[in-house]
Amino acid sequence: MTGLELSDVSYSYAATGRKALDGVRFSVEPGRFCALLGPNGAGKSTLYALLTRLIVAPQGRISVAGYDLARAPRAALARIGVVFQQPTLDLDMTVRRNMSYFAGLHGLSGRDAAVAIDAALDRLAMLERAGEKVRALNGGHRRRMEIARALIHKPEVLLLDEPTVGLDAAARRAITAHVHELAETGPAVLWATHLVDEIGPQDRVVVLHRGKVLVEGGAAEIASGSTLSDRFIEMTGAHEEVPA
Ligand code: ADP
């Protein structure tokens, strides 16, 4: 299948020897918004580190757009766009300069890069800010720019690790809506969060808790007879802080 597929992915940090991920299995089809929902310490960031090969050699199999991440890492990584939790923008460069630097890393230059950058900024309603220094943008616009940057090379899989952390309610809502719209245009989107209100009834949901997938399915189906929020609390006790 295309999109993103994980089967039996496990990982233990050498420092603790404890399993941060334990037999994780799920998939995200192209054009789908899938929320990876889990409380703090569930293993979301560890999973993103594996998906982007910041950490290698997990057990199990990860496939990106049909490419095995371990056997064909270059082909697989070339099809991933990623927005990490920590911003990675050069504040003293303009939006466009940041974008063209990144386009260059993907082998795009000149007219091709300019077209791809404009298209990506336009999708996040950021085109009119292209000439501004990143430092002049608020947190929500910086985040939008990072998402636009992750789209330059037209990835088939878009990974976002808690992309609304630190944003106010309005920016959080705007970015959540933008990425839902983006998913409809083709990529398989995996959106890590611990916030149930970022998930729509049509979305897929994977609930991760202490490194294990507790449930995977449609948001409405998981919520059935209750709310997704109540179900999440029932499953994970997420109203209490889970110790890391
Ligand atoms: P989440 O992103 O869902 O909050 P993490 O992936 O950060 O979860 O953490 C999952 C588990 O792995 C936690 O128990 C955490 O303490 C542990 N962990 C995370 N990073 C490290 C690390 N570098 N070394 C050892 N343990 C870690």
Side-chain angles (χ1 to χ4, degrees):
M1 149 179 143
T2 52
L4 178 67
E5 230 177 334
L6 291 89
S7 44
D8 300 323
V9 172
S10 297
Y11 184 78
S12 305
Y13 285 100
T16 59
R18 274 195 303 144
K19 277 193 175 171
L21 295 172
D22 187 359
V24 170
R25 168 188 288 265
F26 69 88
S27 55
V28 188
E29 290 168 26
R32 276 283 184 187
F33 181 106
C34 177
L36 180 68
L37 179 64
N40 289 336
K44 304 183 296 298
S45 292
T46 303
L47 188 62
Y48 276 64
L50 294 181
L51 291 172
T52 51
R53 277 178 71 84
L54 292 176
I55 300 177
V56 288
Q59 289 167 27
R61 184 169 182 277
I62 297 170
S63 154
V64 178
Y67 291 94
D68 186 300
L69 187 60
R71 290 197 198 148
R74 282 167 67 101
L77 289 174
R79 287 163 177 83
I80 290 180
V82 63
V83 179
F84 287 111
Q85 209 175 101
Q86 298 299 327
T88 56
L89 296 167
D90 187 319
L91 300 181
D92 292 316
M93 284 188 194
T94 63
V95 169
R96 188 178 293 285
R97 188 76 198 95
N98 266 278
M99 298 282 281
S100 34
Y101 176 75
F102 215 72
L105 296 179
H106 286 289
L108 285 171
S109 60
R111 174 107 195 105
D112 289 346
V115 169
I117 288 167
D118 281 8
L121 287 173
D122 195 35
R123 286 171 85 177
L124 274 296
M126 284 294 290
L127 195 49
E128 73 275 21
R129 317 299 295 263
E132 291 181 35
K133 284 202 171 153
V134 174
R135 197 178 287 285
L137 304 180
N138 66 29
H141 287 119
R142 289 183 192 185
R143 241 4 191 169
R144 279 201 223 179
M145 205 213 114
E146 282 198 294
I147 297 169
R149 191 182 63 175
L151 296 174
I152 292 176
H153 59 300
K154 301 192 174 67
E156 287 166 69
V157 172
L158 180 62
L159 307 173
L160 306 104
D161 188 5
E162 306 210 32
T164 60
V165 163
L167 300 183
D168 63 32
R172 196 157 77 80
R173 192 173 314 150
I175 284 181
T176 308
H178 270 298
V179 176
H180 274 86
E181 281 168 26
L182 260 178
E184 287 169 17
T185 67
V189 174
L190 186 66
W191 170 284
T193 188
H194 61 275
L195 300 168
V196 174
D197 68 349
E198 294 178 353
I199 301 171
Q202 312 300 325
D203 295 338
R204 301 286 301 171
V205 180
V206 172
V207 178
L208 189 70
H209 184 43
R210 296 188 172 141
K212 291 191 175 172
V213 173
L214 298 186
V215 67
E216 179 197 2
E221 175 196 339
I222 293 173
S224 71
S226 179
T227 63
L228 187 59
S229 176
D230 285 348
R231 292 283 294 121
F232 180 51
I233 290 168
E234 269 165 44
M235 281 186 270
T236 65
H239 53 306
E240 305 153 20
E241 272 299 320
V242 176

